[in-house]
C-alpha cells in the first residue's frame, strides 16, 4: 500500500516531523529558553573552547602541582623553620578551634608578646588565638616588636575580638557601665571627700572609695586628694543600683608586691641606695629603699663604734648614742649599702657604716707594737679596761697590765672617762683587737733594772752548798749517838 493512500501528504504544506536527533536538540533549546528568530529571542553564544596546551606560550605555562613531589627549596626551609621543635602529636592535641579558646577575665594578669606597633596602639599576642590592643599614650617607653610584657586585661571588643590591655596593675580605658567588671583597674578622678571616704568619677560614672581603701597608710586629710586621678581597683559593681566601690589600696599593694619581686631579682649585694627611715626600733631602723621595699639596718651596722652605738648617716659621725631615736627619725633620708639578701624570705639587710672607710684599715700603721698612744677609758670589766683610741677603735688593757703592783679591782686604778696613756703591745686589724699596757710606761724603781717585757723570766739560782764534813768527827744524827732527850726533860 502506498504511503499516501491515507490522504495526508507531505506536499500539503505541513513540514515533516524531525528526526530523533533533531527533536532532542529542539526540546533542549526550548528548555533552555532559546528560540529561533521567530520566537523573538536570540540563541546564547556558546562558551569558548579552551585553547590547547600547545597554543599557550611557554613563558606563561604553570606546572600542575604534584602531591608526591618534593617542595621547592625555599618552601621546604620555611616549613622546617615553622615546625622546628614541634611534634605532630603535640600539634594535633593542641589544635583548638577559635570558638573553644578560653576567654580572659577582666583584671587578669597575662604575659604578651608585641607583634606590631602602630601610631598610637601596639598589638600584643596573648597566647592561642587571642590578641590585645595596648594604648601607647601615657607609657614611659614605647615597646618594640618582640618585647615580652606583663599586662592587665580589660574588656573584650566583640567587633574585632581584641582585648583592651594595659601594663600590669595599670588602669584600662572604659566608656560605660557595660565595660566595667569587678577586678578591673580604672582611673578614678576624686570629686569630693567626706568622713567616710572619697567620691570619685570613672568615665562619667559615680563611684565611692571608703577611707580604709584609700591607702595602706593612714591618710590624715582626705581633702588633699580632691582633684587627683587615682588608679583604683573595682571591688564591687551593681549597675542596676548604680553602685561602684573602688580601692586604691589594692592597687598600691599589688604594685608594691610586683616592685618587691622585681627588686629582689635585680638587687645586688654592695649596691648603694638612697632610702627613707620608716620606723626606728631598739635593734635598728627600717629603711624604705624604693617602691615600698624595706630593709633593716641593724644597730651593729650603723656605726663602727660597736654594737652599743649608732651613726648619724647624714653627718657620718662615729660617736656613740644611748638611744637610736636621738639620731634617726621616721621620714629622715639616709644612704645605705645592701649587705645581704634573702630571696626566699624577702628580707634585706642594710648597712650605713660601710659607706665610710673602716678605721681599722690603717690601724696596723698607726697602732704598731711599741707605739705610745693616748685614749679615754670607755668601759671597765672584771678582766681589764677598754680604752677608746679614736671613734671606732678600742684597745684592751688587761688587769695584769694596769700597774706593777698587785691590782685587786680594775676600778682602783682607772675610772670610766679618765684619759690614760698606754703602750701598744700588739695590734690585729682583722680581728679588730689591740692589746695595751699602762704599767709599761710607769717609772722603774731606783736601783732596779727595767724589766724586759718580751724577755723570758730567768730560772731561779741554785742554793749555795753547806760546809764540807771534816774527817774524824762523829756524824750528826744516826742511831748510835745520844739523843739529847735529857735536855728537854725526857728519859729514854
Amino acid at each position: 500500500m502506498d504511503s499516501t493512500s491515507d490522504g495526508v501528504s507531505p506536499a500539503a504544506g505541513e513540514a515533516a516531523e524531525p528526526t530523533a536527533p533533531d527533536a532532542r536538540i529542539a526540546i533542549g533549546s526550548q528548555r533552555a529558553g532559546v528560540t529561533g528568530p521567530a520566537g523573538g529571542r536570540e540563541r546564547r553564544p556558546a562558551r569558548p573552547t579552551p585553547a590547547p596546551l600547545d597554543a599557550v606560550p611557554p613563558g606563561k605555562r604553570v606546572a600542575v602541582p604534584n602531591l608526591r613531589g618534593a617542595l621547592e627549596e625555599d618552601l621546604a626551609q620555611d616549613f622546617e623553620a615553622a615546625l622546628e621543635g614541634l611534634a605532630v602529636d603535640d600539634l594535633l592535641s593542641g589544635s583548638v578551634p577559635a570558638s573553644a579558646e578560653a576567654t580572659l577575665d577582666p583584671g587578669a594578669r597575662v604575659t604578651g608578646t608585641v607583634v606590631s606597633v602602630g601610631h598610637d596602639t601596639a598589638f600584643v599576642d596573648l597566647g592561642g588565638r587571642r590578641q590585645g590592643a595596648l594604648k601607647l599614650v601615657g607609657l614611659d617607653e614605647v615597646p618594640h616588636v618582640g618585647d615580652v610584657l606583663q599586662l592587665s586585661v580589660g574588656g573584650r571588643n566583640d567587633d574585632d575580638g581584641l582585648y583592651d590591655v594595659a601594663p600590669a596593675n595599670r588602669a584600662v580605658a572604659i566608656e560605660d557601665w557595660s565595660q566595667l567588671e569587678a577586678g578591673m583597674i580604672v582611673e578614678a578622678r576624686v570629686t569630693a571627700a567626706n568622713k567616710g571616704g572619697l567620691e570619685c568619677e570613672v568615665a562619667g560614672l559615680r563611684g565611692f572609695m571608703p577611707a580604709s581603701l584609700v591607702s595602706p597608710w593612714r591618710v590624715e586629710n582626705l581633702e588633699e586628694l580632691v582633684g587627683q586621678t587615682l588608679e583604683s581597683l573595682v571591688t564591687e559593681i551593681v549597675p542596676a543600683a548604680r553602685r561602684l566601690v573602688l580601692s586604691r589600696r589594692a592597687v598600691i599593694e599589688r604594685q608594691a608586691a610586683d616592685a618587691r619581686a622585681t627588686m629582689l631579682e635585680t638587687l645586688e649585694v654592695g649596691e648603694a641606695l638612697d632610702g627613707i627611715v620608716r620606723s626606728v626600733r631598739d635593734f635598728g631602723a627600717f629603711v624604705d629603699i624604693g617602691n615600698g621595699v624595706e630593709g633593716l639596718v641593724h644597730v651593729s651596722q650603723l656605726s663602727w663604734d660597736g654594737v652599743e652605738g649608732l651613726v648619724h648617716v647624714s653627718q657620718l659621725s662615729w660617736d656613740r648614742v644611748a638611744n637610736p631615736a636621738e639620731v634617726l627619725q621616721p621620714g629622715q633620708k639616709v644612704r645605705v649599702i645592701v649587705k645581704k639578701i634573702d630571696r626566699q624570705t624577702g628580707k634585706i639587710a642594710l648597712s650605713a657604716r660601710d659607706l665610710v672607710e673602716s678605721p681599722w684599715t690603717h690601724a696596723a700603721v698607726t697602732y704598731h707594737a711599741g707605739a705610745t698612744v693616748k685614749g679615754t677609758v670607755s668601759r671597765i670589766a672584771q678582766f681589764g679596761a677598754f680604752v677608746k683610741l679614736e671613734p671606732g677603735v678600742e684597745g684592751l688593757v688587761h688587769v695584769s697590765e694596769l700597774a706593777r703592783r698587785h691590782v685587786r679591782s680594775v676600778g682602783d686604778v682607772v675610772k670610766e672617762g679618765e684619759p690614760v696613756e698606754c703602750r701598744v703591745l700588739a695590734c690585729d686589724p682583722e680581728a679588730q683587737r689591740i692589746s695595751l699596757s699602762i704599767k709599761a710606761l710607769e717609772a722603774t724603781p731606783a736601783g732596779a733594772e727595767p724589766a724586759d717585757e718580751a724577755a723570758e723570766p730567768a730560772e731561779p739560782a741554785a742554793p749555795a752548798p753547806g760546809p764540807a764534813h771534816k774527817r774524824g768527827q762523829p756524824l750528826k744524827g744516826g742511831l748510835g749517838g745520844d739523843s739529847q732527850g735529857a735536855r728537854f726533860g725526857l728519859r729514854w
Side-chain angles (χ1 to χ4, degrees):
M1 185 176 181
D2 192 357
S3 58
T4 59
S5 58
D6 53 357
V8 179
S9 174
E14 295 181 2
E17 295 182 1
T19 59
D22 297 336
R24 288 197 297 268
I25 293 175
I27 295 174
S29 299
Q30 294 177 0
R31 291 180 179 178
V34 180
T35 60
R41 299 179 62 184
E42 297 181 356
R43 184 182 298 272
R44 291 181 178 179
R47 293 181 179 179
T49 304
L53 185 60
D54 297 339
V56 180
K60 296 184 178 181
R61 295 180 184 179
V62 178
V64 179
N66 186 3
L67 298 179
R68 297 182 180 181
L71 294 175
E72 296 181 4
E73 183 177 357
D74 55 346
L75 294 178
Q77 293 177 356
D78 295 342
F79 182 76
E80 292 177 359
L83 297 182
E84 184 178 1
L86 300 176
V88 177
D89 295 339
D90 296 339
L91 293 175
L92 295 177
S93 61
S95 59
V96 181
S99 58
E101 288 283 0
T103 58
L104 299 176
D105 296 331
R109 179 169 176 172
V110 296
T111 301
T113 304
V114 179
V115 294
S116 65
V117 179
H119 179 68
D120 58 354
T121 306
F123 296 94
V124 184
D125 182 8
L126 304 178
R129 301 186 181 182
R130 298 181 293 252
Q131 288 191 350
L134 173 64
K135 299 295 183 181
L136 301 181
V137 179
L139 296 183
D140 298 334
E141 184 179 355
V142 177
H144 300 85
V145 176
D147 291 350
V148 179
L149 307 177
Q150 297 293 329
L151 305 170
S152 293
V153 179
R156 182 177 183 274
N157 192 338
D158 295 334
D159 297 336
D160 52 18
L162 296 176
Y163 288 90
D164 292 330
V165 295
N169 297 326
R170 296 290 301 273
V172 293
I174 62 168
E175 297 179 357
D176 52 29
W177 285 91
S178 62
Q179 298 179 348
L180 279 176
E181 294 189 31
M184 294 179 59
I185 299 178
V186 296
E187 291 185 348
R189 187 174 64 88
V190 181
T191 57
N194 52 49
K195 295 183 179 180
L198 301 175
E199 297 180 7
C200 305
E201 180 180 330
V202 181
L205 310 176
R206 297 183 59 184
F208 182 74
M209 184 183 301
S212 60
L213 301 181
V214 173
S215 174
W217 306 281
R218 178 179 176 83
V219 180
E220 298 295 339
N221 186 11
L222 295 177
E223 294 288 345
E224 298 177 353
L225 301 176
V226 176
Q228 299 185 17
T229 300
L230 309 177
E231 292 185 344
S232 308
L233 178 72
V234 178
T235 59
E236 183 180 354
I237 177 172
V238 183
R242 315 292 289 182
R243 177 181 176 85
L244 177 62
V245 181
L246 305 171
S247 172
R248 176 172 173 258
R249 176 178 179 176
V251 176
I252 295 177
E253 291 176 348
R254 285 188 181 184
Q255 293 175 350
D258 293 343
R260 185 178 184 84
T262 303
M263 180 167 287
L264 288 175
E265 294 176 358
T266 58
L267 203 61
E268 298 294 339
V269 175
E271 185 176 354
L273 303 169
D274 293 326
I276 300 176
V277 178
R278 291 301 183 189
S279 61
V280 180
R281 299 289 186 268
D282 294 337
F283 51 84
F286 289 95
V287 179
D288 186 348
I289 57 178
N291 298 320
V293 180
E294 292 187 359
L296 172 65
V297 183
H298 193 262
V299 62
S300 62
Q301 297 297 323
L302 285 168
S303 171
W304 285 107
D305 211 10
V307 298
E308 296 181 2
L310 292 173
V311 62
H312 193 191
V313 183
S314 60
Q315 299 178 355
L316 298 178
S317 171
W318 300 108
D319 296 333
R320 296 176 182 238
V321 294
N323 186 5
E326 295 179 359
V327 293
L328 293 178
Q329 301 295 332
Q332 178 181 344
K333 295 182 179 180
V334 295
R335 187 167 180 82
V336 293
I337 288 181
V338 179
K339 194 74 173 179
K340 184 179 179 182
I341 304 173
D342 191 340
R343 304 187 189 279
Q344 295 182 352
T345 60
K347 295 182 179 180
I348 302 175
L350 305 174
S351 174
R353 72 178 190 181
D354 290 346
L355 289 170
V356 181
E357 186 180 18
S358 172
W360 289 93
T361 303
H362 306 289
V365 178
T366 307
Y367 307 105
H368 58 84
T372 301
V373 295
K374 295 182 179 180
T376 304
V377 178
S378 57
R379 287 181 296 162
I380 292 179
Q382 188 175 5
F383 51 84
F386 290 92
V387 178
K388 181 178 179 181
L389 304 177
E390 65 175 272
V393 178
E394 283 186 342
L396 172 64
V397 181
H398 194 264
V399 64
S400 62
E401 298 294 337
L402 288 173
R404 294 185 179 277
R405 59 183 175 84
H406 176 69
V407 178
R408 298 182 57 185
S409 175
V410 178
D412 296 340
V413 182
V414 294
K415 304 293 183 182
E416 288 189 9
E418 178 183 353
V420 294
E421 189 174 12
C422 311
R423 174 172 292 176
V424 179
L425 301 180
C427 179
D428 188 354
E430 295 183 358
Q432 298 184 4
R433 294 180 180 179
I434 298 178
S435 299
L436 303 174
S437 175
I438 295 179
K439 76 175 185 179
L441 298 178
E442 292 182 354
T444 306
E449 297 181 358
D452 187 0
E453 301 294 340
E456 298 181 358
E459 297 182 0
H469 174 67
K470 297 181 179 180
R471 295 181 180 273
Q473 294 183 358
L475 296 174
K476 293 182 179 181
L479 301 177
D482 187 5
S483 64
Q484 303 293 331
R487 298 173 54 188
F488 302 99
L490 298 177
R491 295 180 181 179
W492 299 96

